[in-house]
Amino acid sequence: MKRKLAGLAIALLLAGGTAGCSAPIACPALAWMNSVTVTLDGRVEAVSLVELCADDVCSIRSDGPATFPVTSVSPGAMPAPATSAPSFNPYYAARVDDRTWTVSLLMRSPERVRVRALSADGAVLAERDVELGWTRVGGSEQCGGPATAGPITLVV
């Protein structure tokens, strides 16, 4: 009988301790893209790529939807072993027009970034370190959501 009373007392304490808690929040978005706008000024015709670097990762150019490598295997053939695992890049830069680029960051919002403009041969035409201020443009405080930063002006 003492065990039953002790068990009941523990159950009541636990129930009372969670009585003020609200129901769990269901977040609809599982992933989102944050974005940074980069505006170029000066000799923009020489710029072939705008690159944003943060956390030892630099953006790659994306002029359309992301694509993934496709592997085909002939019947009965074994694929060659991979020498290294494919890398994942969470930053994508796309040209909007001659003076504007947008960099998308998969659920990342770094405080400090390096932005640079590159020529077709990879030469750095302009470069600058920037502290970003992020503004959420969707989602909620509890669940998070997409945010924007910028525009960042880069003089070429």
Side-chain angles (χ1 to χ4, degrees):
M1 180 73 171
K2 285 185 181 183
R3 277 191 187 164
K4 287 183 182 181
L5 287 176
L8 180 60
I10 290 173
L12 287 173
L13 282 173
L14 290 175
T18 60
C21 296
S22 61
I25 296 170
C27 295
L30 297 177
W32 59 82
M33 297 296 270
N34 293 332
S35 64
V36 176
T37 301
V38 179
T39 304
L40 301 176
D41 196 13
R43 295 184 32 234
V44 299
E45 65 279 354
V47 176
S48 177
L49 174 66
V50 168
E51 188 176 68
L52 179 140
C53 303
D55 306 321
D56 296 327
V57 176
C58 293
S59 60
I60 58 174
R61 187 165 183 161
S62 171
D63 290 331
T67 57
F68 298 94
V70 176
T71 303
S72 62
V73 178
S74 301
M78 293 298 293
T83 55
S84 64
S87 62
F88 170 74
N89 191 316
Y91 306 143
Y92 300 94
R95 182 190 306 254
V96 175
D97 58 39
D98 289 344
R99 296 191 175 275
T100 310
W101 288 71
T102 299
V103 182
S104 299
L105 302 90
L106 180 61
M107 295 182 67
R108 310 268 172 112
S109 51
E111 291 180 17
R112 294 189 56 79
V113 298
R114 173 167 286 164
V115 180
R116 51 187 168 196
L118 305 172
S119 67
D121 65 358
V124 176
L125 302 172
E127 181 175 34
R128 104 179 238 221
D129 291 330
V130 181
E131 285 192 33
L132 298 177
W134 292 95
T135 302
R136 193 178 66 252
V137 294
S140 67
E141 186 70 33
Q142 297 85 4
C143 296
T148 61
I152 297 168
T153 302
L154 191 60
V155 179
V156 181

